[in-house]
Amino acid sequence: MMQVIQTRDYENLSEKVAGIIFDQLKGQPDSTLGLATGSTPVGTYQLLKKQPEHFIEATTFNLDEYVGLKESHPQSYRYFMQEKLFNTVPVKASYIPNGSATDLQEECKLYEQKIQASGGIDLQLLGLGMNGHIGFNEPGTPFDSRTHVVELAESTRQANARFFNHLDEVPTQAITMGIETIMEAKKIVLLVSGNEKVQAFDRLFRGEIEEKFPASILRTHPNITVVHDL
Ligand code: GLP
């Protein structure tokens, strides 16, 4: 079942999503949360920082990480999460794929095992890429994929170049939870904000369910809420 919540603006979207997360943690303090990076969840994370006490028993798993950036690199997702959330919100444990692992395939396997060991993801936050990617699952990724190494689409590298000094500095690979990994989350909250997402948003509802547009599979999830400000 897909529930769609239209909000007035970005602030209102962030309040809605933060509310959903607080409700989850009040009902089940030791929840396993799936977290996302990108600009869309930043407002939500700011609001979560106002009530850090809810997170003491929570475990978090991030969707993805660039390959080849150290944790100390300001554009690594570990660094991003530290800055945007974990420096103030003390979760029990936070996992992000290690994009500097020497054996990346092994790292992917381990990541899946850790998710299973924590009982699976109770609530997964997701952003929407302009090309329909979720996590770093680019168009054409099999729907039955698990955590894996991906080659980033040129359009994704260009979209993310704004955070780097130069396009050349944007990594060409990443580790991402697979589409099947994401779909196993008990609940999913998809955040969509901004005019540049209108087309992707439209295709999400009206297009075919096809691997060419990864987010389309979300329509088949039993418990998904789309929160948007379009
Ligand atoms: C990035 C991330 C995704 C994110 C998406 C949208 O490349 N890997 O996890 O959801 O693109 O980002 P934004 O929220 O900045 O539009």
Side-chain angles (χ1 to χ4, degrees):
M1 241 275 292
M2 191 178 233
Q3 194 196 353
V4 182
I5 302 176
Q6 180 171 26
T7 59
R8 282 191 306 280
D9 50 24
Y10 180 67
E11 206 183 318
N12 193 219
L13 172 144
S14 302
E15 282 162 8
K16 256 275 121 30
V17 178
I20 293 172
I21 296 169
F22 287 136
D23 285 348
Q24 171 71 32
L25 291 170
K26 282 174 197 159
Q28 189 191 339
D30 65 349
S31 291
T32 298
L33 303 175
L35 300 178
T37 49
S39 359
T40 317
V42 170
T44 302
Y45 294 156
Q46 273 165 6
L47 295 173
L48 299 185
K49 282 184 172 188
K50 294 186 176 171
Q51 298 183 49
E53 66 277 11
H54 295 302
F55 290 84
I56 306 164
E57 293 177 50
T59 299
T60 66
F61 284 90
N62 264 75
L63 282 168
D64 47 15
E65 177 62 286
Y66 288 116
V67 166
L69 299 187
K70 294 206 186 86
E71 289 189 353
S72 57
H73 191 290
Q75 295 313 328
S76 76
Y77 285 166
R78 168 55 77 183
Y79 191 99
F80 176 100
M81 289 307 299
Q82 213 58 37
E83 285 253 287
K84 306 291 184 216
L85 192 66
F86 299 137
N87 62 5
T88 312
V89 170
V91 295
K92 189 172 88 183
S94 67
Y95 298 98
I96 300 183
N98 177 8
S100 304
T102 23
D103 187 340
L104 293 172
Q105 303 306 331
E106 187 59 22
E107 172 63 17
C108 295
K109 253 203 269 168
L110 280 174
Y111 204 63
E112 287 282 334
Q113 285 167 7
K114 286 180 201 156
I115 295 173
Q116 301 302 330
S118 84
I121 291 168
D122 296 302
L123 175 68
Q124 175 70 56
L125 291 191
L126 276 185
L128 178 65
M130 283 191 262
N131 61 3
H133 75 218
I134 47 176
F136 267 135
N137 292 288
E138 300 286 13
T141 306
F143 282 155
D144 64 359
S145 52
R146 312 293 310 187
T147 301
H148 61 294
V149 178
V150 294
E151 301 294 323
L152 296 177
E154 206 43 41
S155 62
T156 299
R157 294 185 64 239
Q158 275 160 16
N160 290 358
R162 66 187 193 276
F163 301 113
F164 293 80
N165 295 322
H166 195 271
L167 180 62
D168 291 349
E169 291 177 18
V170 185
T172 56
Q173 290 184 317
I175 295 181
T176 182
M177 278 187 204
I179 294 184
E180 199 171 75
T181 320
I182 293 171
M183 287 293 285
E184 278 172 7
K186 294 177 192 91
K187 281 180 227 165
I188 293 179
V189 181
L190 177 71
L191 288 59
V192 190
S193 174
N195 285 334
E196 71 273 20
K197 299 289 171 69
V198 170
Q199 263 186 332
F201 183 78
D202 221 55
R203 186 157 170 197
L204 172 63
F205 290 99
R206 279 184 246 231
E208 299 276 310
I209 296 176
E210 54 180 353
E211 290 178 349
K212 275 197 283 189
F213 194 77
S216 61
I217 190 70
L218 297 173
R219 283 181 9 218
T220 68
H221 193 278
N223 187 348
I224 171 160
T225 303
V226 182
V227 189
H228 72 94
D229 63 4
L230 307 183

